[in-house]
Amino acid sequence: MSEHLQGGRVRGISIVKAVVIGNTSIYLGGKRDKDGHTHEWTVYLKPFKSEDMSVYVKKVHFKLHDSYSQPMRIISKPPYRVSESGWGEFEIMVKIFFQDPAEKPVTFYHLLKLFPNESVTVKDKTLISELYDEIIFTDPTSIMYPLLFNARPMDPTLANHHKNFDELERKTFTSIIEARRKIKTEIAELSSRLKNQREYHHTLKQEVKELEEEKKT
């Protein structure tokens, strides 16, 4: 293998752990009398594949808006999620700490979605906003290395995603292929135009040269 141990880290290797960060929300039908809240919501972090992240994740911090009485929520075991209620959208910091303190925490940001738009999905009156992301461990510590490779399988229902990422991947791949085809066509057209321009300039230079020769005679 090309990787080797140096300074407490396994050098020459990168390990990718895919995750899904998102939230669900349900409209309460209006402002709640006791607090004026209009939605109940849950924000979460979960593995893209069915595995127990607690093997290598020590805890997850969810930093909510400062208007909440306890804006910092610390979750130490799966499922990594926080449920609350509110009336407005805001950015939530999701900070992941690992079993080895020498492995630097990773921070993501998720914009809490409560209201329908083109970026969210609505199923059975539940609004869903999910994003795929990746944690990349470059030269992981010698403690983290075996943990990352030996994550236990988990209850598959805890890793179910509301968004069809396979379909999204297929559409993205199709879009990339189409974009490449379009770029290739545009490059061919530009090359043809450039060739024509060069030939035109060459013809002009020849005509100018012939005119100068005629003047000399």
Side-chain angles (χ1 to χ4, degrees):
M1 295 190 300
S2 60
E3 63 268 16
H4 62 281
L5 186 63
Q6 180 183 356
R9 289 186 173 271
V10 183
R11 303 292 179 180
I13 188 171
S14 291
I15 301 172
V16 177
K17 289 295 185 180
V19 297
V20 172
I21 303 171
N23 78 269
T24 60
S25 68
I26 298 175
Y27 180 53
L28 299 176
K31 291 184 178 181
R32 197 162 54 189
D33 291 339
K34 65 178 181 178
D35 52 21
H37 290 181
T38 57
H39 292 77
E40 290 181 341
W41 54 261
T42 298
V43 61
Y44 50 82
L45 164 77
K46 55 185 177 180
F48 181 68
K49 296 181 178 179
S50 180
E51 67 174 18
D52 183 0
M53 294 179 69
S54 67
V55 172
Y56 54 89
V57 171
K58 183 177 182 179
K59 58 183 177 179
V60 179
H61 287 189
F62 291 88
K63 174 61 170 64
L64 311 184
H65 193 273
D66 288 337
S67 59
Y68 287 88
S69 58
Q70 292 181 310
M72 181 62 74
R73 309 294 173 88
I74 301 173
I75 310 299
S76 300
K77 61 181 181 180
Y80 301 108
R81 63 190 180 197
V82 171
S83 295
E84 263 292 356
S85 63
W87 53 265
E89 299 180 338
F90 57 90
E91 190 174 66
I92 297 175
M93 183 188 76
V94 182
K95 191 171 185 178
I96 307 168
F97 294 81
F98 302 106
Q99 295 294 355
D100 185 358
E103 198 70 58
K104 187 178 179 180
V106 171
T107 301
F108 296 104
Y109 293 90
H110 175 73
L111 180 60
L112 178 70
K113 291 287 187 179
L114 303 182
F115 308 105
N117 60 35
E118 65 280 357
S119 68
V120 302
T121 304
V122 178
K123 293 182 179 179
D124 299 326
K125 297 184 179 181
T126 299
L127 183 145
I128 303 153
S129 173
E130 286 187 334
L131 294 174
Y132 170 95
D133 217 316
E134 294 177 342
I135 307 172
I136 301 176
F137 297 88
T138 301
D139 300 336
T141 67
S142 57
I143 295 175
M144 288 292 293
Y145 182 77
L147 300 180
L148 293 169
F149 275 110
N150 295 304
R152 299 182 297 266
M154 65 182 291
D155 181 351
T157 60
L158 296 178
N160 286 343
H161 311 309
H162 298 287
K163 182 179 286 187
N164 188 337
F165 286 101
D166 290 334
E167 176 66 13
L168 180 63
E169 182 180 36
R170 186 191 66 77
K171 289 181 179 179
T172 301
F173 181 75
T174 301
S175 298
I176 291 172
I177 295 298
E178 177 60 25
R180 286 178 175 174
R181 186 198 62 76
K182 184 176 180 181
I183 290 171
K184 187 176 181 180
T185 300
E186 290 177 351
I187 289 174
E189 291 176 352
L190 288 172
S191 297
S192 177
R193 288 168 58 186
L194 181 59
K195 181 181 178 182
N196 292 337
Q197 288 291 332
R198 285 175 176 171
E199 290 177 351
Y200 175 69
H201 285 296
H202 178 72
T203 301
L204 284 179
K205 286 176 69 177
Q206 286 296 112
E207 291 177 355
V208 170
K209 185 177 180 180
E210 290 174 0
L211 286 172
E212 289 177 345
E213 290 295 331
E214 289 178 3
K215 287 181 180 180
K216 290 180 181 179
T217 57

